[in-house]
């Protein structure tokens, strides 16, 4: 009897050891299975494959989806709850984001937890709260005063911030990280649009700005949360260790910055408020406020009915400011960084854009100052717009979109999705699929965006969804194009950029598709610019 129990105990203790040995066997075997990028093992599911390829996540997803017809079910360890449909089929994204099925695919509670730093802002909200914020944002982005503010601040930041820094780099003949410069530009420009204040990232000496660094680090932590089981990062958060300690630190930095901006904006608005019945002062203030920042616009709602959808006016302003900063800070700079790298690899495209720019009459042909273009001139440049679209296709700033399934449904690809399941759509992978974009899908070819009549074609709207489609389509699309065109035109017309020969270019594994090693370039002033 005693020996029987001893045998059972030994068997019980041996089982985990044997199981661990089996898992190790499959793990080691996977290292030599180059033709099988996704392997499902007992107990641990496909998680080992993910961990082995997390350093090249986007290219790995592309390989897996190409092998499996653009859609695959990913299953993690049986105890982790990791079960998600990964796809790059444009029909699936249209189905998910379209009005008919919109309510069945919210961002979900899990998204809210992993992106908790966004709070209840528009980027993380669902349903009622989201509808109210969408209506507000739509009105603000259509506001003529704000649109004027976008154009004015973009040109001023290019002229007084970006160009002087590039001139200094050209004089000193030292390599510089163009990605860092563009991040500084877009962060300053976004802060001006959102808060009405310039944090001064793009100034002489290129100072370290804590808020800019904090937002970048938060993006990295958020992506890491998607690569490990939920219980693990939750435990780290409770213990305030590892990546979750980093998140706690950056959260404090971000909140401190936003609180300071809200206080400063409130004081400014109160200072400019006209006294009662003073029509002359009111007219002066209206003229001075021809351009206005988003924070000032959102402060108008503090005592209105819309606040019933939020916990408090203070938290509403904090979360809204955070969402706007997150949406505009790294996305535009990432797109610009990839764009200039693509031009370095495709000099013919650069030459055609320069040809468009030099065709615009110069109002000051005799001046030696660098030329800055206005939005009216740039709005009609077809090839420049096409080249930017092609860059966004190949290197989408937000490479992956995530949604949660509420009720059972069938995707157009024929795959069944169930309640509680996550859906990940890869824009990055979609751009690299022959069945979607043709045999030249890997080529940087702006001509695919230009019709036979020489205008921008809309033939790709069913598969180019970098700015989303349906109710959640990006409201900041025009702002992004305005900023990108202002930067590209000024940089190309006035400077030549040469990427260092030994510089390794690879995507950084983060929420926003930045370059892992930055983009090291040498800058020279373009001699032919004045001519």
């Amino acid at each position: 009897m005693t020996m029987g129990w001893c045998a059972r105990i030994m068997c019980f203790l041996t089982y985990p050891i044997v199981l661990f040995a089996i898992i190790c066997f499959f793990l080691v075997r996977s290292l030599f299975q180059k033709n099988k990028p996704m392997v499902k093992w007992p107990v641990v599911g496909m998680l080992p494959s993910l961990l082995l390829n997390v350093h090249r996540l986007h290219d790995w997803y592309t390989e897996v989806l190409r092998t499996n017809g653009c859609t695959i079910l990913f299953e993690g360890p049986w105890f982790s709850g990791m079960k998600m449909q990964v796809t790059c089929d444009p029909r699936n994204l249209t189905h998910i984001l379209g009005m008919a099925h919109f309510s069945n695919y919210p961002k979900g509670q899990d998204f809210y937890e992993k992106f908790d730093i966004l709070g209840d802002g528009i980027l993380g909200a669902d349903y009622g709260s989201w509808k109210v914020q969408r209506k507000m944002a739509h009105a603000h982005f259509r506001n003529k005063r704000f649109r004027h503010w976008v154009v004015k601040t973009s040109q001023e930041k290019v002229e007084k911030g970006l160009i002087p820094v590039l001139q200094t780099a050209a004089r000193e003949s030292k390599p510089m990280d163009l990605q860092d410069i563009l991040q500084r530009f877009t962060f300053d420009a976004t802060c001006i649009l959102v808060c009405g204040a310039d944090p001064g990232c793009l100034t002489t000496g290129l100072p370290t700005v804590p808020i800019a660094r904090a937002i970048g680090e938060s993006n990295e932590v958020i992506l890491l949360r998607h690569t490990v089981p939920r219980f693990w990062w939750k435990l780290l958060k409770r213990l305030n260790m590892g990546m979750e300690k980093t998140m706690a630190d950056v959260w404090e930095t971000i909140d401190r910055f936003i609180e300071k901006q809200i206080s400063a904006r409130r004081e400014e608005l109160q200072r400019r408020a006209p006294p009662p019945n003073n029509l002359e002062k009111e007219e002066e203030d209206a003229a001075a406020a021809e351009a206005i920042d988003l924070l000032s616009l959102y402060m108008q709602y503090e005592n209105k009915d819309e606040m019933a959808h939020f916990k408090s006016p203070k938290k509403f302003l904090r979360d809204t400011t955070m969402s706007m900063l997150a949406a505009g800070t790294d996305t535009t700079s990432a797109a610009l960084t990839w764009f200039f790298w693509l031009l370095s690899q495709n000099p013919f495209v650069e030459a055609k854009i320069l040809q468009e720019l030099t065709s615009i009459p110069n109002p000051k042909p005799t001046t030696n100052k660098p030329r800055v273009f206005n939005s009216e001139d740039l709005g009609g440049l077809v090839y420049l717009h096409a080249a930017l679209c092609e860059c966004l296709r190949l290197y989408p700033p937000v490479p992956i979109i995530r949604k949660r399934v509420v009720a059972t449904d069938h995707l157009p690809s024929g795959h069944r999705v169930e309640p509680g399941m996550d859906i990940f759509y890869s824009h990055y992978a979609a751009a690299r699929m022959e069945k979607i974009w043709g045999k030249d899908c890997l080529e940087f070819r702006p001509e695919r965006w230009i019709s036979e009549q020489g205008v921008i074609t809309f033939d790709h709207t069913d598969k180019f969804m970098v700015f989303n489609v349906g109710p959640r389509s990006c409201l900041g699309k025009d702002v992004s194009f305005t900023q990108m065109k202002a930067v590209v035109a000024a940089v190309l017309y006035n400077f030549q950029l040469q990427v260092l020969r030994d510089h390794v270019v690879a995507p950084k594994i983060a929420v926003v598709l930045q370059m892992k090693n930055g983009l090291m370039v040498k800058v020279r002033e373009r001699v032919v610019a004045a001519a």
Side-chain angles (χ1 to χ4, degrees):
M1 185 70 174
T2 304
M3 290 297 294
W5 277 107
C6 288
R8 293 179 185 181
I9 292 173
M10 289 298 296
C11 182
F12 177 77
L13 294 175
T14 304
Y15 175 75
I17 299 174
V18 173
L19 179 61
F20 178 73
I22 293 173
I23 293 173
C24 289
F25 168 76
F26 282 109
L27 187 62
V28 172
R29 191 181 70 169
S30 70
L31 294 173
F32 303 96
Q33 290 185 319
K34 296 182 179 180
N35 296 326
K36 294 183 179 180
M38 180 78 86
V39 181
K40 182 179 178 181
W41 299 313
V43 183
V44 294
M46 300 171 175
L47 182 61
S49 294
L50 174 62
L51 296 178
L52 287 169
N53 292 279
V54 72
H55 64 287
R56 53 185 291 273
L57 186 66
H58 301 299
D59 289 316
W60 177 64
Y61 268 150
T62 301
E63 295 166 7
V64 170
L65 291 171
R66 185 182 293 123
T67 305
N68 292 274
C70 293
T71 305
I72 187 172
L73 177 64
F74 178 93
E75 296 181 87
W78 62 267
F79 56 84
S80 68
M82 293 180 69
K83 188 175 183 181
M84 50 196 178
Q85 199 76 251
V86 183
T87 182
C88 65
D89 190 328
R91 298 173 302 165
N92 290 341
L93 187 60
T94 301
H95 177 88
I96 292 166
L97 297 180
M99 183 64 75
H101 304 93
F102 180 72
S103 60
N104 192 47
Y105 297 97
K107 295 199 170 183
Q109 181 63 27
D110 191 55
F111 178 97
Y112 183 82
E113 291 180 353
K114 288 178 179 175
F115 288 82
D116 51 5
I117 198 166
L118 297 176
D120 298 319
I122 190 171
L123 293 184
D126 279 320
Y127 304 120
S129 171
W130 172 82
K131 288 182 179 179
V132 174
Q133 294 188 66
R134 175 78 180 188
K135 185 177 180 180
M136 292 180 189
H138 187 270
H140 299 335
F141 277 92
R142 297 292 179 185
N143 186 305
K144 290 184 178 180
R145 293 161 62 191
F146 177 70
R147 293 166 76 89
H148 173 77
W149 187 234
V150 172
V151 173
K152 179 182 178 181
T153 57
S154 297
Q155 291 178 352
E156 287 183 350
K157 198 64 192 178
V158 167
E159 183 177 5
K160 299 177 182 179
L162 183 60
I163 286 180
V165 168
L166 294 179
Q167 285 179 316
T168 300
R171 285 195 301 267
E172 295 178 351
S173 298
K174 294 180 180 179
M176 62 180 292
D177 183 358
L178 184 62
Q179 177 169 261
D180 177 60
I181 300 301
L182 294 172
Q183 282 180 304
R184 291 171 179 273
F185 169 85
T186 55
F187 187 78
D188 283 352
T190 301
C191 281
I192 294 171
L193 293 179
V194 176
C195 307
D198 187 345
C201 290
L202 194 61
T203 54
T204 304
L206 302 178
T208 299
V209 179
I211 177 63
R213 183 178 59 192
I215 290 179
E217 290 178 348
S218 69
N219 287 335
E220 295 178 15
V221 174
I222 288 171
L223 187 75
L224 287 174
R225 287 177 173 180
H226 285 84
T227 62
V228 298
R230 181 173 179 271
F231 80 89
W232 179 247
W233 70 263
K234 281 282 190 178
L235 177 62
L236 291 178
K237 184 176 182 179
R238 177 170 293 186
L239 298 175
N240 195 30
M241 294 174 59
M243 65 183 191
E244 292 303 320
K245 185 181 187 308
T246 300
M247 180 62 95
D249 293 340
V250 302
W251 195 320
E252 183 179 349
T253 300
I254 289 171
D255 280 0
R256 188 165 54 246
F257 172 83
I258 293 177
E259 185 176 352
K260 180 180 178 180
Q261 297 305 316
I262 292 174
S263 298
R265 206 74 203 119
R266 197 184 304 281
E267 291 176 5
E268 174 67 15
L269 292 175
Q270 290 174 352
R271 184 183 64 80
R272 287 167 44 186
N277 302 322
N278 190 337
L279 296 180
E280 183 178 349
K281 182 67 168 62
E282 190 172 326
E283 290 176 359
E284 290 179 2
D285 286 342
E290 182 181 358
I292 194 168
D293 56 274
L294 286 174
L295 186 52
S296 297
L297 291 171
Y298 274 103
M299 282 182 173
Q300 301 172 7
Y301 295 97
E302 284 189 288
N303 298 315
K304 294 186 177 181
D305 295 339
E306 285 84 354
M307 286 299 101
H309 295 272
F310 308 100
K311 294 179 180 179
S312 70
K314 181 178 179 181
K315 190 175 188 307
F316 162 73
L317 288 177
R318 181 270 173 204
D319 294 347
T320 298
T321 302
M322 179 60 200
S323 287
M324 295 299 172
L325 290 176
T329 297
D330 289 332
T331 51
T332 302
S333 65
L336 284 168
T337 304
W338 287 108
F339 184 79
F340 284 114
W341 176 73
L342 285 169
L343 291 186
S344 72
Q345 306 300 305
N346 298 271
F348 175 74
V349 174
E350 180 180 11
K352 293 201 70 172
I353 296 174
L354 274 171
Q355 185 179 9
E356 273 193 327
L357 293 173
T358 53
S359 69
I360 301 174
N362 190 346
K364 299 178 180 180
T366 59
T367 182
N368 292 324
K369 292 183 178 180
R371 186 178 179 184
V372 177
F373 295 82
N374 61 52
S375 60
E376 289 76 14
D377 290 334
L378 299 177
L381 301 188
V382 173
Y383 199 83
L384 172 59
H385 190 92
L388 287 170
C389 288
E390 182 70 345
C391 172
L392 291 169
R393 179 186 74 86
L394 282 169
Y395 295 98
V398 182
I400 297 176
I401 291 178
R402 171 186 173 169
K403 292 290 182 178
R404 172 59 62 92
V405 181
V406 174
T408 301
D409 194 13
H410 287 84
L411 300 178
S413 60
H415 295 80
R416 173 189 171 96
V417 291
E418 301 171 350
M421 182 183 291
D422 287 320
I423 299 180
F424 286 81
Y425 180 86
S426 173
H427 290 295
Y428 183 92
R432 288 155 177 76
M433 296 293 157
E434 285 191 17
K435 63 185 298 184
I436 298 175
W437 287 97
K439 292 184 178 181
D440 62 351
C441 62
L442 299 180
E443 297 179 20
F444 178 57
R445 198 171 68 83
E447 287 76 12
R448 76 174 80 242
W449 298 91
I450 303 175
S451 69
E452 295 180 357
Q453 291 74 35
V455 297
I456 296 296
T457 179
F458 295 97
D459 292 344
H460 305 313
T461 53
D462 60 335
K463 52 189 177 183
F464 179 70
M465 291 173 275
V466 172
F467 293 99
N468 278 356
V469 293
R472 278 197 182 267
S473 57
C474 179
L475 292 171
K477 177 181 177 180
D478 292 341
V479 175
S480 296
F481 272 109
T482 298
Q483 291 180 341
M484 288 191 293
K485 288 179 180 179
V487 170
V488 170
V491 172
L492 284 189
Y493 190 86
N494 298 292
F495 302 96
Q496 291 177 294
L497 304 179
Q498 180 182 359
V499 179
L500 300 189
R501 286 187 178 181
D502 57 348
H503 184 68
V504 178
V505 173
K508 181 180 181 180
I509 305 306
V511 175
V512 177
L513 192 68
Q514 298 170 326
M515 288 189 179
K516 183 178 181 181
N517 305 305
L519 184 62
M520 299 303 298
V521 301
K522 285 186 177 180
V523 184
R524 289 186 297 173
E525 294 197 40
R526 194 179 291 277
V527 179
V528 299

